[in-house]
Amino acid sequence: MNTRLKIWSLLRIALIIYVGLGLIFHLGWEAAQAECRHVQASRGEFVEPAVFAWPLRLAFDLTYWPVYAWANLYHDGVLFATPCTH
């Protein structure tokens, strides 16, 4: 294998790992938000509706999950921050 092919292979592997972690983050955060909405509704509180359609939320989460994870940990101390964690 030449060097250029090795570099492209490594970049593809890194991209697959990045997107895979983003998908895991997205699924975890969606589950945490659904649980929080359920808890809020059971208490009779206002439940914030989802603002974006799921494809757009998925695209944002796959792309920016490291920023979201850092901000959630920094501000709330949990990986999946929801209104219930404040």
Side-chain angles (χ1 to χ4, degrees):
M1 286 177 90
N2 62 15
T3 306
R4 180 177 278 174
L5 188 57
K6 287 180 184 178
I7 291 172
W8 281 112
S9 295
L10 289 174
L11 286 174
R12 276 189 223 127
I13 291 169
L15 181 65
I16 289 169
I17 292 170
Y18 184 86
V19 170
L21 289 172
L23 183 61
I24 292 168
F25 181 83
H26 172 76
L27 294 173
W29 203 2
E30 288 289 322
Q33 289 175 338
E35 182 182 340
C36 180
R37 285 188 187 108
H38 178 69
V39 167
Q40 286 178 321
S42 67
R43 289 188 214 154
E45 296 177 8
F46 173 74
V47 177
E48 228 178 84
V51 178
F52 299 114
W54 72 267
L56 193 55
R57 287 194 314 263
L58 178 64
F60 279 125
D61 287 348
L62 288 179
T63 306
Y64 300 114
W65 68 267
V67 176
Y68 296 155
W70 174 84
N72 290 343
L73 287 171
Y74 182 78
H75 292 290
D76 290 334
V78 294
L79 188 59
F80 304 119
T82 64
C84 296
T85 60
H86 296 295

